[in-house]
Amino acid sequence: MDYLEIVGCQKLSGSVKISGAKNSALPIIAATILSDKDVTLTNLPNVVDIRTLLKLLTMLGGEIKHHDTSAIINNNTIISTKAVYEIVSQMRASILVLGPLLTRFGECEVSLPGGCAIGQRPIDLHLKALEAMGANIEIKGGYVKAEAKDGLKGAKIIFDKITVGGTENIIMAAALAHGTTTILNAAKEPEIVQLCEMIASAGVKIEGIGTNELIIEGTCGKPLEFKPVEIIPDRIEAGTYLCAGAITNSSITLEKVNYQHIRSSIDKLESMGCNFDIKDNSITIYPTKNIKPVNLITTEYPGFPTDMQAQFMAVAVMAEGESLIEERLFENRFMHVSELNRLGADIWLKGSTAAIKGVDKLYGADVMATDLRASSALVLAALVAEGTTKVRRIYHLDRGYDDLEGKLSKLGANIVRKKELLFKKS
Ligand code: UD1
């Protein structure tokens, strides 16, 4: 198993190129199931989750040519519609194949993803919406078995709660359905907008893109022909590098970034005293000596993203004063707190709120990554900790950050990936 060894207190400087968004690439890869022709994707991030979903498509019979940041996917050759536990258990987002497989083939079996470190994460809203579209759904042996022999039918879906994955699954299902689907209380994250634009550019009429109400005219089962798709920049990776600039009091320029997508993070960093130079495709954060405390609540886009909560907590640890962070989306997304406290942070938890008292110094220690974004928060804290920090279990990090240690090294961080030594029992 790999770990990261970081010697803290180095000033960073220079520029970093932001990779394509994992959370956009995943539904877009799933959407290729809606087509029986080649689909070309570019600007894919080089992360494990993308390889996992491509592997799942290959297991279903899809033909994939994947090289570096691009892929050509052809799903005309799909022979199986069963997404097995071995893959789905590695990555919850595999559930995104449910809507496209069902709408294109009239049946599928997808393993239930189960809970994960940050919360229960049920898929009841995905299933309820597909049932409203005429699917027969049965849960048996840990699998969702779904059937719609004559195809899915357009329906009016009102999500009880805003769900990103649920909205994506229903958009894809609706694209080949018979008739019109209206989705109310839809998520409107930039990743959803890109998925809608991809499907709309294949000729499907979609109204309300970028709003909470989507109206989609299905093709009555006719597969789509997609234009090449370039994945949008990763707003969470971008926000993480802004936090790296803020916490280390450094100047960092992000290249290939979309300012509109990270406005909530920039606003919060501005309230903490950070200054920026914002250009068309690049953003520079300038050194900030005295970080002010912050109050934030995670919520749906365009509000403050839960995926940036842990990184902002790391920055708040070094602020002058007390910050409050409330997590409203996931019930167990504070596991980084005890690890940050191991580095010398002073954080108290009460329910879904964390109170963070700023400290003058952190000290390197051994810490354990607990989920994807928690891992990057530990790396950020380690960048300013005195001495050496070892961040273990970084397989979480590899799921979603493209070459984090390479990009941070180029900025001047002292960070190396090492292998755990395994001691054999004699
Ligand atoms: C996606 C993102 C993830 C991000 C999250 C919230 C991807 C691959 N992942 O996850 O990085 O943190 O959005 O922005 O894009 N819920 C239900 N029932 C359902 C579905 C969801 O109760 O059927 C709940 C969840 O438990 C959670 C909330 O709704 O409390 C939001 O979850 P959702 O938006 O669905 O998150 P994901 O799509 O899983």
Side-chain angles (χ1 to χ4, degrees):
M1 220 187 279
D2 292 354
Y3 67 94
L4 288 177
E5 190 171 278
I6 300 155
V7 182
C9 302
Q10 319 286 325
K11 212 43 170 216
L12 307 185
S13 69
S15 61
V16 57
K17 194 174 143 252
I18 300 305
S19 298
K22 164 184 90 71
N23 286 356
S24 202
L26 291 173
I28 279 172
I29 291 170
T32 64
I33 294 173
L34 301 172
S35 175
D36 56 359
K37 304 268 186 328
D38 278 1
V39 190
T40 302
L41 307 181
T42 56
N43 202 32
L44 290 168
N46 188 3
V47 298
V48 170
D49 272 9
I50 298 301
R51 295 194 284 278
T52 304
L53 190 55
L54 292 175
K55 186 171 164 200
L56 172 57
L57 289 190
T58 309
M59 285 169 81
L60 299 179
E63 282 179 359
I64 293 162
K65 290 177 205 139
H66 181 204
H67 180 66
D68 199 17
T69 59
S70 59
I72 300 172
I73 302 175
N74 189 308
N75 287 319
N76 190 32
T77 46
I78 283 188
I79 42 161
S80 160
T81 54
K82 182 168 180 173
V84 294
Y85 175 76
E86 288 66 26
I87 293 278
V88 182
S89 59
Q90 283 173 38
M91 185 187 66
R92 289 184 48 83
S94 314
I95 196 67
L96 290 171
V97 301
L98 176 64
L101 281 177
L102 181 60
T103 201
R104 178 153 170 229
F105 298 103
E107 60 173 17
C108 67
E109 274 184 66
V110 179
S111 171
L112 278 170
C116 78
I118 63 173
Q120 259 189 32
R121 305 184 81 177
I123 54 159
D124 55 318
L125 302 175
H126 304 229
L127 302 185
K128 208 171 130 192
L130 289 171
E131 278 175 335
M133 297 176 78
N136 286 317
I137 291 182
E138 197 189 8
I139 310 277
K140 216 173 173 186
Y143 279 79
V144 178
K145 297 188 178 194
E147 220 183 68
K149 284 286 178 224
D150 299 323
L152 291 169
K153 292 174 186 59
K156 185 171 175 180
I157 311 293
I158 308 175
F159 279 119
D160 294 338
K161 202 176 192 181
I162 296 183
T163 157
V164 172
T167 303
E168 290 164 345
N169 244 331
I170 301 309
I171 291 168
M172 294 186 275
L176 302 197
H178 298 258
T180 306
T181 301
T182 303
I183 310 177
L184 299 175
N185 208 23
K188 56 178 181 184
E189 271 65 5
E191 295 77 22
I192 303 237
V193 171
Q194 179 158 50
L195 176 67
C196 286
E197 283 169 349
M198 172 195 192
I199 292 174
S201 74
V204 176
K205 198 171 157 218
I206 306 184
E207 279 175 42
I209 296 179
T211 74
N212 292 120
E213 183 172 339
L214 294 167
I215 303 171
I216 303 161
E217 304 272 351
T219 64
C220 303
K222 187 169 172 268
L224 306 180
E225 201 167 324
F226 290 117
K227 302 207 166 83
V229 181
E230 182 183 344
I231 305 299
I232 56 171
D234 193 315
R235 62 195 168 103
I236 306 303
E237 189 196 23
T240 304
Y241 285 101
L242 291 181
C243 286
I247 201 169
T248 60
N249 184 19
S250 303
S251 178
I252 298 179
T253 298
L254 314 189
E255 287 166 6
K256 261 195 123 186
V257 63
N258 186 325
Y259 162 67
Q260 293 302 335
H261 296 170
I262 55 169
R263 276 180 75 163
S264 58
S265 293
I266 297 229
D267 282 357
K268 284 294 169 196
L269 285 171
E270 271 175 344
S271 77
M272 295 171 92
C274 300
N275 292 303
F276 298 90
D277 181 24
I278 294 164
K279 300 217 170 89
D280 270 359
N281 276 324
S282 76
I283 298 177
T284 301
I285 180 166
Y286 292 115
T288 319
K289 269 219 163 67
N290 304 315
I291 296 279
K292 293 184 208 143
V294 68
N295 284 347
L296 61 85
I297 297 173
T298 64
T299 181
E300 293 87 4
Y301 188 84
F304 187 86
T306 174
D307 287 354
M308 283 304 302
Q309 180 255 103
Q311 301 88 316
F312 267 72
M313 191 179 291
V315 181
V317 161
M318 302 308 288
E320 290 182 351
E322 188 165 323
S323 302
L324 284 177
I325 296 185
E326 188 181 338
E327 172 57 55
R328 288 224 182 134
L329 286 180
F330 294 108
E331 66 273 19
N332 194 25
R333 207 170 195 179
F334 276 141
M335 280 181 308
H336 41 285
V337 166
S338 47
E339 300 302 299
L340 287 171
N341 283 346
R342 284 177 59 74
L343 295 170
D346 185 355
I347 309 171
W348 285 91
L349 272 183
K350 191 161 185 217
S352 59
T353 302
I356 305 116
K357 233 187 219 169
V359 295
D360 290 336
K361 265 191 184 167
L362 294 176
Y363 299 92
D366 281 23
V367 288
M368 211 177 266
T370 48
D371 70 65
L372 170 55
R373 306 304 169 184
S375 326
S376 59
L378 297 179
V379 171
L380 291 174
L383 291 176
V384 287
E386 226 175 73
T388 303
T389 298
K390 289 178 183 168
V391 182
R392 303 192 188 274
R393 299 201 180 170
I394 54 165
Y395 51 84
H396 290 293
L397 211 127
D398 294 336
R399 283 190 37 223
Y401 280 96
D402 188 346
D403 191 22
L404 183 72
E405 72 267 25
K407 290 184 183 186
L408 281 173
S409 291
K410 267 195 210 133
L411 292 171
N414 187 337
I415 176 169
V416 280
R417 178 181 287 256
K418 292 192 167 172
K419 289 233 175 286
E420 301 271 8
L421 287 177
L422 294 174
F423 294 103
K424 278 190 189 152
K425 278 187 189 162
S426 53

